[in-house]
Amino acid sequence: FYSLMNETRDIRVNIVNDIFSGRAIRPEAITRLKNALSGLEDIPEKNGRAVLLLDNDKTIETELTYETRELKKDIYYLENGEERFLGYLEKLHPGFPEAVESVTRKLKGIQFNNFITDRDGTINNYCGRYRSSVQSVWNSVFLTRFAGNRASNSVIITSAPLSNPGILDVSVNPEKTFIYAASKAREYVDLNGTRHTYPISKAQQDKINELNRELTLLLARPEHEKYSLIGSGFQLKFGQTTIARQDISGSIPAGESRAFQELIENIVHKIDPEKIFFRTEDTGYDIEIILTVENSADNSSKDFDKGDGISFLDSELNLRLGRGPNLISGDTSSDLCMIEHSMSATADTLVLFVAKDKSLEKKIIDICPDSHLVKEPDILVAILNNLSMKG
């Protein structure tokens, strides 16, 4: 399954490069995407879910909604053209044309200094497994247009690692288009493809190395290996480790997931009983174990967040956040710190967020009055595409 999805990434990279080089799309490339879709649809199902083999004896039942839906979108986009494809999106999302036109009208003509965005749930639909959340062709084309036409600097900032697997393994954008900032921007790849990292002390690195060794041994046990394959999997980030205990399909029974969480918490407590080095967050799907940084306000320890990451990128890359205008995009409360950091640098900050509940909407508008909220990543990406083509 993962090998098949990796193949779709290679196909999509070539298609996107052909599009931006002005070359005709090769029919065999579309055929290969269709074959990949057929391969996914041929996977046996049980209770409406695909049954994937972990080995000869063990299976896991999961949904492949993202993988199949994005392949269908790409095939339709490539075979029918952009205008008809937008009609296809209208059928998927009620209120699509009204939302796109309304926000486009409010933001049109603005040349942004910085476009800083989260990935999953913001400019990319959520997927049950990070390793297979391969970006679609149409998504890349729309985003690349905006980055090229409407932003001096375009940064994708994610909690995922850079690679193995990470954001570089699931993105298909052309080179030198986006700065990829991973591990909440504790590591990033610049436009020349060079990796840079946030400074970590030897004591901190020793602790996280010890943690990762313990977790690797835990996941080597047959009864626990599945946690490295579902959802976010086992991600060794820079300055942070993530391990899935559940996925959006609910593949793991609740009691079993909770018991696994307790095992992780016990390991963290054994390594850092005084809670000096780590902060742990449970999202309900993932357990995030994060190296702390100093809180400048009172010299205490705090989680490293995306606001800290933006500050690091600004100092490293001379983004000139204080100059504005900056466009900030996200979809969860953990992305609010990006808005706060930009607002602290300049009032010339605009927000385009995917927000599906009233409490998040209020928090966003309270921080930045010039906020524009939509319900789906596809709507947000279509708006960016619209902005790239309008004066």
Side-chain angles (χ1 to χ4, degrees):
F1 166 68
Y2 283 128
S3 176
L4 176 62
M5 293 310 301
N6 289 340
E7 288 179 23
T8 71
R9 179 191 179 268
D10 295 339
I11 298 165
R12 285 159 156 159
V13 166
N14 291 332
I15 292 174
V16 170
N17 286 334
D18 284 344
I19 289 172
F20 284 102
S21 298
R23 295 187 291 264
I25 305 300
R26 289 163 288 186
E28 60 267 26
I30 302 175
T31 298
R32 292 178 68 191
L33 291 181
K34 288 181 176 180
N35 290 341
L37 176 60
S38 295
L40 294 181
E41 292 178 334
D42 286 343
I43 294 173
E45 290 190 354
K46 182 179 179 181
N47 302 320
R49 295 181 177 185
V51 179
L52 299 176
L53 296 174
L54 295 175
D55 57 31
N56 290 332
D57 300 317
K58 294 188 287 295
T59 62
I60 190 164
E61 298 172 20
T62 190
E63 293 180 1
L64 303 181
T65 304
Y66 173 89
E67 294 87 349
T68 56
R69 184 175 293 172
E70 293 304 319
L71 279 168
K72 288 177 181 177
K73 288 178 187 174
D74 269 350
I75 293 165
Y76 192 95
Y77 173 73
L78 295 168
E79 289 190 328
N80 295 280
E82 194 160 306
E83 185 175 347
R84 291 185 66 184
F85 176 71
L86 291 172
Y88 182 90
L89 292 182
E90 287 183 27
K91 294 177 182 177
L92 293 178
H93 306 297
F96 176 90
E98 295 83 2
V100 171
E101 185 57 36
S102 173
V103 178
T104 300
R105 189 168 55 250
K106 295 171 183 175
L107 298 180
K108 68 178 180 180
I110 301 175
Q111 192 68 32
F112 294 98
N113 181 34
N114 293 292
F115 171 49
I116 302 175
T117 181
D118 169 62
R119 180 186 189 258
D120 297 288
T122 303
I123 56 170
N124 208 79
N125 289 301
Y126 277 117
C127 177
R129 293 140 301 279
Y130 191 84
R131 284 175 60 182
S132 59
S133 66
V134 178
Q135 184 184 15
S136 50
V137 170
W138 74 270
N139 180 281
S140 176
V141 171
F142 285 18
L143 292 175
T144 299
R145 281 182 187 151
F146 179 81
N149 296 334
R150 281 288 178 255
S152 299
N153 306 297
S154 294
V155 181
I156 300 175
I157 181 168
T158 176
S159 296
L162 276 175
S163 58
N164 300 318
I167 187 171
L168 297 181
D169 304 304
V170 294
S171 297
V172 305
N173 301 308
E175 294 181 357
K176 299 188 176 182
T177 302
F178 289 94
I179 297 161
Y180 294 102
S183 306
K184 298 180 181 175
R186 265 182 150 143
E187 56 177 342
Y188 71 92
V189 169
D190 63 25
L191 294 180
N192 294 317
T194 303
R195 178 177 179 262
H196 307 264
T197 60
Y198 184 89
I200 292 177
S201 70
K202 183 179 183 303
Q204 287 180 311
Q205 192 61 60
D206 288 346
K207 283 292 182 182
I208 202 164
N209 287 345
E210 182 182 358
L211 170 73
N212 291 338
R213 284 194 297 269
E214 292 273 355
L215 294 178
T216 299
L217 290 173
L218 181 70
L219 290 171
R221 300 177 190 173
E223 67 270 27
H224 296 141
E225 62 183 346
K226 60 191 170 187
Y227 293 100
S228 65
L229 299 172
I230 66 164
S232 296
F234 182 35
Q235 297 183 354
L236 302 180
K237 307 174 183 180
F238 190 78
Q240 180 175 335
T241 296
T242 296
I243 184 165
R245 70 177 183 90
Q246 187 58 276
D247 60 21
I248 60 174
S249 303
S251 301
I252 309 298
E256 189 177 336
S257 174
R258 175 58 190 162
F260 182 72
Q261 179 187 8
E262 290 177 359
L263 287 176
I264 302 300
E265 291 172 349
N266 290 339
I267 290 173
V268 174
H269 179 73
K270 182 181 74 172
I271 295 172
D272 184 27
E274 302 299 322
K275 299 183 178 180
I276 296 171
F277 293 95
F278 298 124
R279 293 290 182 272
T280 301
E281 298 176 5
D282 174 44
T283 69
Y285 300 113
D286 301 331
I287 303 164
E288 305 270 8
I289 307 161
I290 310 159
L291 282 178
T292 59
V293 293
E294 184 176 296
N295 187 344
S296 57
D298 57 10
N299 295 322
S300 63
S301 295
K302 66 180 284 291
D303 295 354
F304 186 96
D305 60 33
K306 290 180 181 178
D308 298 311
I310 289 176
S311 178
F312 173 55
L313 294 174
D314 192 19
S315 63
E316 288 273 300
L317 298 170
N318 191 29
L319 299 178
R320 295 181 291 177
L321 278 174
R323 194 185 75 179
N326 302 321
L327 180 64
I328 310 296
S329 293
D331 75 304
T332 68
S333 293
S334 64
D335 297 320
L336 297 179
C337 55
M338 297 196 296
I339 307 175
E340 292 170 339
H341 189 82
S342 182
M343 288 291 290
S344 69
T346 176
D348 196 5
T349 295
L350 301 93
V351 169
L352 179 55
F353 238 68
V354 177
K356 297 185 179 183
D357 66 79
K358 295 296 183 182
S359 61
L360 180 59
E361 289 179 8
K362 184 178 185 307
K363 290 176 183 177
I364 295 166
I365 295 170
D366 284 348
I367 299 170
C368 179
D370 199 352
S371 294
H372 310 275
L373 311 177
V374 297
K375 297 298 183 184
E376 299 292 341
D378 287 357
I379 297 174
L380 188 149
V381 174
I383 290 167
L384 296 179
N385 182 60
N386 232 21
L387 291 172
S388 71
M389 297 186 291
K390 297 209 174 188

